[in-house]
Amino acid sequence: MSDLSTHPRARILMCAPEHFEVSYTINPWMKPDTWQSQAELLGARSNSGWHKLTDTLRSLGAELEMVPPQAGLPDLVFTANAAVVLDGVALVATFRHPQRQPETAVYKKAFEQLKARGLLREVLDMPAGMILEGAGDCVWDPVRDTFWLGYGQRSDKEAAKLVRDTFGFDVVPLKLVDPRFYHMDTCLCPLTGGEVLYWPQAFETEGKALIEERFGKDNLIAAPEEDACAFAVNAVNIGRDIVLATVSDKLRGMLEERGYRLHATPISDFNLSGGSAFCLTLKLDRASGGRDIPAELDIVSTSA
Ligand code: ARG
C-alpha cells in the first residue's frame, strides 16, 4: 500500500548545472558567443538560480532526485527531456540533435537506478530511429488524462501512437510552428485546475482549435507575449502552486484570480539555452486518474 502520509507532494528528477553552458546552437535562443563573453558570471548566476529553484520546490513539499552532471553534456540539466514518465513507467527519450544524443544513456542509467530503488516500475527504450524528447515534448494533462505531443521541430509525429500504445491514454499530436517554441513545454502547460496556460501563436490554426475544443473556452489562459518570450509557460505546477522564472503583473493577476499561488525564481539565465522551470524538472510520480502517485507503485518517502 502507498503511504500517503509520508509521500512527498511530488517526486522530481533534476540535474545540477555544474557543466551547464551554451556551447552549441540547436534552438534560436542559444548563442555561444553571448555566453562566452560572460561565461563566469552566467555560470555562477545560473548555478545559484538553480539552487533557489530546488529550495522553492522543496519548500512546496517536493522530494528531489538527482542525475549526476556530466562534462560535455551542458543540456543534461533539462531533465524534462529525459523521458515520458507516467504510472511508474519511464519511456527514455531519444534526441534530434547529435549534441544531445549521448544524454539517452546517462538518463537511462539514472532511471534503472530509480527502478532498483522501487521508484519506477519499468524503464522502456524508444524503437530505433524514432525521436521523442521526453516530457518536454509530451506534456500531460492531469485532469483529462491526455498527452499533448509537440512535433515538427524535435520529436516525431509517429511517437504519438507509441505513447498511446505504451501508456494507454489519448495522445494529441500538435505541430509546433514557431522555432522559438520548439518543445511543447515551452508553449503549453495544462494546470491542475483544468485550465491551460499556453502561447497560441506557437500552433497552427487547427492546433489552436483543438486546444480550445479539448480544454473549453473558460479554461484558456493565453500568456501575454512578454511572458511567453520569458518562458512563463514553462512552469512547474504542483497543486495550486506554480513555479516559474518571471511573471508579468498581468499574467500574475490572471492566474491568482483562478486560485493559483505564484513563485518566481531567479532562473532566467537558462533562457539563454531555451529552457526554464519545467525543462529543469521531471515529475517521476506522475499518475493517471487524478491520483497523487501511481497506484501500481508502492512508493514511500525515502527521506529520514
Ligand atoms: N538547450 C536545450 C535544447 O535546445 C534546452 C532544452 C529545454 N528543454 C525543454 N524541455 N524545453 O534542447
Side-chain angles (χ1 to χ4, degrees):
M1 281 291 292
S2 301
D3 183 350
L4 285 171
S5 62
T6 58
H7 193 274
R9 276 184 83 206
R11 191 181 298 275
I12 289 173
L13 185 71
M14 295 180 74
C15 173
E18 229 168 276
H19 303 291
F20 174 66
E21 61 175 348
V22 178
S23 52
Y24 50 75
T25 304
I26 57 172
N27 70 55
W29 306 91
M30 300 177 81
K31 301 195 170 79
D33 292 348
T34 306
W35 183 274
Q36 260 324 311
S37 67
Q38 301 187 78
E40 210 166 309
L41 171 74
L42 294 172
R45 241 171 33 194
S46 51
N47 191 53
S48 80
W50 183 89
H51 280 97
K52 293 220 172 76
L53 175 64
T54 64
D55 291 345
T56 304
L57 293 170
R58 286 196 175 107
S59 77
L60 297 175
E63 196 154 315
L64 308 182
E65 302 290 341
M66 296 292 162
V67 179
Q70 208 165 295
L73 296 179
D75 281 341
L76 202 64
V77 292
F78 298 113
T79 50
N81 294 123
V84 178
V85 182
L86 184 72
D87 292 334
V89 177
L91 177 60
V92 183
T94 46
F95 292 87
R96 171 78 49 198
H97 298 288
Q99 292 95 330
R100 294 200 69 181
Q101 284 165 359
E103 293 180 32
T104 298
V106 180
Y107 287 137
K108 169 130 194 225
K109 191 171 164 206
F111 289 121
E112 291 292 358
Q113 286 170 352
L114 291 164
K115 184 181 161 194
R117 288 170 51 208
L119 298 175
L120 289 173
R121 190 159 55 88
E122 238 184 306
V123 179
L124 304 175
D125 294 322
M126 291 290 296
M130 195 187 284
I131 290 164
L132 177 58
E133 299 199 347
D137 251 343
C138 194
V139 169
W140 179 247
D141 175 349
V143 173
R144 296 166 191 82
D145 279 357
T146 299
F147 281 113
W148 292 84
L149 188 143
Y151 71 91
Q153 306 214 28
R154 297 291 183 86
S155 301
D156 292 334
K157 188 179 183 186
E158 295 67 46
K161 185 183 177 323
L162 177 80
V163 172
R164 200 174 293 128
D165 294 346
T166 302
F167 296 99
F169 291 99
D170 197 9
V171 182
V172 187
L174 292 187
K175 189 166 184 190
L176 303 177
V177 293
D178 184 334
R180 294 173 304 165
F181 301 92
Y182 57 93
H183 274 145
M184 187 58 116
D185 67 359
T186 64
C187 49
L188 184 109
C189 181
L191 300 175
T192 51
E195 307 91 343
V196 61
L197 170 63
Y198 74 129
W199 169 243
Q201 286 87 327
F203 305 97
E204 297 176 308
T205 311
E206 307 91 85
K208 274 188 279 233
L210 258 176
I211 293 170
E212 288 168 18
E213 182 194 313
R214 294 288 190 110
F215 285 96
K217 280 247 170 308
D218 292 347
N219 288 318
L220 305 176
I221 306 176
E225 179 163 19
E226 150 191 15
D227 289 292
C229 292
F231 287 106
V233 177
N234 196 257
V236 180
N237 178 204
I238 304 173
R240 296 312 274 187
D241 292 294
I242 295 180
V243 181
L244 36 56
T246 55
V247 59
S248 68
D249 289 344
K250 183 167 178 213
L251 181 58
R252 178 181 285 277
M254 288 156 77
L255 290 165
E256 284 181 348
E257 193 175 280
R258 304 229 183 197
Y260 292 99
R261 290 178 292 264
L262 294 182
H263 307 268
T265 53
I267 50 169
S268 294
D269 289 312
F270 290 95
N271 294 9
L272 298 171
S273 189
S276 194
F278 186 93
C279 303
L280 293 166
T281 63
L282 178 70
K283 206 163 177 293
L284 292 169
D285 52 0
R286 200 171 276 299
S288 62
R291 284 187 301 272
D292 280 342
I293 51 171
E296 295 84 348
L297 270 184
D298 181 22
I299 296 179
V300 290
S301 170
T302 51
S303 65

